[in-house]
Amino acid sequence: MEIGAIIKKARQEKGITQETAADALGVSRQTISNWETGRTYPDILSVIRMSDLYAVSLDRLLKEEDSVNQTYRDYLEESTNTVRSNERRSQLTLILVTLGVWALSVIAFWLVHSGMDAVGYSLSVTWVVLPVLFFAASFIIGWRNWFGRWKWLTALVFGLMYALTGYASSITVDQIQVKSVIWPDFSKLPIGLLLSLAGLGLGIWLARRQQAAIRQGQVD
C-alpha cells in the first residue's frame, strides 16, 4: 500500500476532514490532498505530526500491510537528513550569535571605560542586554528541545557567562592597574542561572502546550 493511501485511510478512520488535518498540521488542504493522492510526499516531521493527530503508530503509517515503496524510503531518508542538517545549522547559529553578542558587550566596554558613560553602559549590559540575550537563547533551546537532556547544562553555561562579564571587562582593567590577581566574582551566577532556567522552562511549557492543543484538536 502506498504512503498516500495509508495516511488517507488513517485520517478517515479517525473521522478527520482534510481541512481539519490541514489546520492541525499547519499546511494547506491542497497539500493534504497531494499527499493522499501520491502527487507529493510528506516530510518526516509531517509524518510524526500525523501519527499524533490520527492516533496511529509511526510503524503503521510507514509500513501497514506492505512495505513502503523504495522511492518514498529514499525521499524520507533525504528529508530526514535535511531536517537534521537544518537543525544543526540553527543550533550553531544560536550559539555563535549568543557568544558574539556577549563578546561584543565585553569588548565594547573598552571603548567607554571612563566617566558616566562606563557606568551607564555597564548597567545597561548587566541588567538589560545580557539578561534578554540569555533568556531568549534559553527559551529557543527549550521550545525547540535542542540538545536533548543536555539542554539543562546551557543554563549553567549562560550563568557562568553572565557572572564572568564584569571580570572580562571592568575587573580586568582594575587588575591591570593594581598589578595583582583579582578573582572572578561569582555572585551573579545565580542570577544568570535563574534567567536561563526561566527561559528554558517557558520554552518547554509552550512547546508542550502546542502539542496538547494538537491532541485536543483530535478529540474535538
Side-chain angles (χ1 to χ4, degrees):
M1 185 179 293
E2 297 291 334
I3 182 66
I6 295 173
I7 61 178
K8 181 179 180 179
K9 181 181 178 182
R11 175 182 61 77
Q12 291 175 335
E13 288 179 348
K14 189 63 178 177
I16 297 176
T17 65
Q18 287 187 343
E19 288 79 4
T20 301
D23 290 339
L25 297 173
V27 298
S28 68
R29 191 206 63 78
Q30 186 60 47
T31 298
I32 298 292
S33 177
N34 288 340
W35 289 345
E36 293 183 352
T37 56
R39 283 192 287 269
T40 59
Y41 290 132
D43 57 58
I44 185 61
L45 291 180
S46 296
V47 173
I48 293 173
R49 291 178 184 133
M50 281 188 283
S51 173
D52 290 335
L53 182 62
Y54 301 156
V56 297
S57 67
L58 280 173
D59 185 68
R60 180 185 170 190
L61 284 180
L62 296 179
K63 293 182 179 178
E64 183 108 328
E65 299 171 1
D66 303 314
S67 297
V68 177
N69 63 54
Q70 189 61 42
T71 301
Y72 184 65
R73 287 182 181 276
D74 294 340
Y75 171 83
L76 198 60
E77 182 178 358
E78 181 181 350
S79 65
T80 300
N81 292 336
T82 299
V83 169
R84 288 174 177 170
S85 178
N86 289 339
E87 284 286 285
R88 286 194 292 267
R89 189 179 299 111
S90 297
Q91 291 170 7
L92 180 60
T93 299
L94 179 68
I95 292 172
L96 291 178
V97 168
T98 303
L99 289 174
V101 173
W102 179 81
L104 287 174
S105 298
V106 172
I107 294 172
F109 175 84
W110 294 82
L111 303 177
V112 289
H113 61 269
S114 62
M116 293 302 296
D117 289 342
V119 175
Y121 177 78
S122 178
L123 289 174
S124 64
V125 168
T126 302
W127 301 111
V128 178
V129 176
L130 294 184
V132 170
L133 172 68
F134 294 141
F135 181 88
S138 299
F139 171 82
I140 294 172
I141 291 172
W143 183 52
R144 300 290 295 273
N145 193 31
W146 283 345
F147 311 121
R149 61 184 179 180
W150 298 104
K151 61 179 171 288
W152 297 104
L153 287 179
T154 60
L156 179 60
V157 173
F158 290 155
L160 286 171
M161 290 173 65
Y162 185 72
L164 290 173
T165 303
Y167 180 77
S169 54
S170 59
I171 294 178
T172 304
V173 175
D174 296 338
Q175 189 168 244
I176 293 174
Q177 291 176 345
V178 301
K179 297 181 179 180
S180 62
V181 176
I182 300 177
W183 297 105
D185 178 13
F186 291 105
S187 61
K188 290 191 176 73
L189 176 60
I191 299 175
L193 187 61
L194 288 174
L195 281 168
S196 185
L197 287 174
L200 279 170
L202 181 60
I204 293 171
W205 178 75
L206 287 178
R208 289 177 177 173
R209 281 277 302 241
Q210 188 178 43
Q211 293 171 358
I214 293 175
R215 294 190 181 96
Q216 185 63 33
Q218 299 174 207
V219 177
D220 295 341

